[in-house]
Amino acid sequence: MKYWGVAVAAVAAGTLLAGCDQVDSAVNQTNSAVDKVSTCTEALGLADLNPLVDGEKLKARAQDKERRLRELAANVKEEDVKNALLGMADSYVQVQKEHLEDAGVIARWTKRNLEKLDGLRKACT
């Protein structure tokens, strides 16, 4: 009779531990989803760049956005989101190197950046 009590206790403990693993897994998945949502929200908020300001100010803002996007990419676990963030960061590096006096340059960069932004939106959904 004593052995049955020990066996039941062992099975109950095993079931409890398995349940804890499932809870831990669910919590980790939820935290990952929250991280993804907050990362995507912040990144999408960074996507603007006003070409009507002077060139030096525009380049400084682009440099700040590039740095912030790389920081976000370093902290996100999903590869597709990370790659989209790094692609957008690279786009802001490009704008820092351009001659921004030319409206055609701004238009081409804007078109490329919108494509990168669309890729980020898709990765975030």
Side-chain angles (χ1 to χ4, degrees):
M1 192 74 160
K2 222 179 201 184
Y3 295 112
W4 282 102
V6 172
V8 169
V11 169
T15 303
L16 182 60
L17 291 176
C20 288
D21 287 343
Q22 290 173 346
V23 169
D24 287 345
S25 176
V27 168
N28 289 338
Q29 287 176 351
T30 301
N31 287 342
S32 179
V34 169
D35 290 344
K36 178 181 174 180
V37 169
S38 63
T39 297
C40 288
T41 301
E42 186 173 346
L44 291 170
L46 291 172
D48 72 322
L49 196 62
N50 183 358
L52 300 177
V53 299
D54 70 88
E56 290 307 310
K57 188 173 183 177
L58 181 72
K59 287 181 181 185
R61 288 186 67 209
Q63 184 177 22
D64 181 57
K65 288 175 185 291
E66 181 246 340
R67 178 190 55 77
R68 289 172 62 193
L69 287 164
R70 291 197 190 284
E71 288 172 358
L72 289 171
N75 294 322
V76 73
K77 293 178 182 163
E78 291 194 29
E79 284 298 315
D80 56 340
V81 175
K82 182 180 292 215
N83 290 336
L85 291 168
L86 292 174
M88 284 189 65
D90 291 344
S91 177
Y92 283 103
V93 170
Q94 289 174 339
V95 80
Q96 293 173 56
K97 296 176 182 179
E98 298 285 351
H99 296 285
L100 301 174
E101 299 79 29
D102 182 357
V105 168
I106 294 292
R108 286 188 299 277
W109 178 83
T110 301
K111 182 178 183 231
R112 285 191 313 266
N113 201 48
L114 286 173
E115 291 168 359
K116 302 273 185 196
L117 183 59
D118 188 46
L120 177 63
R121 282 190 187 115
K122 288 177 182 172
C124 287
T125 55

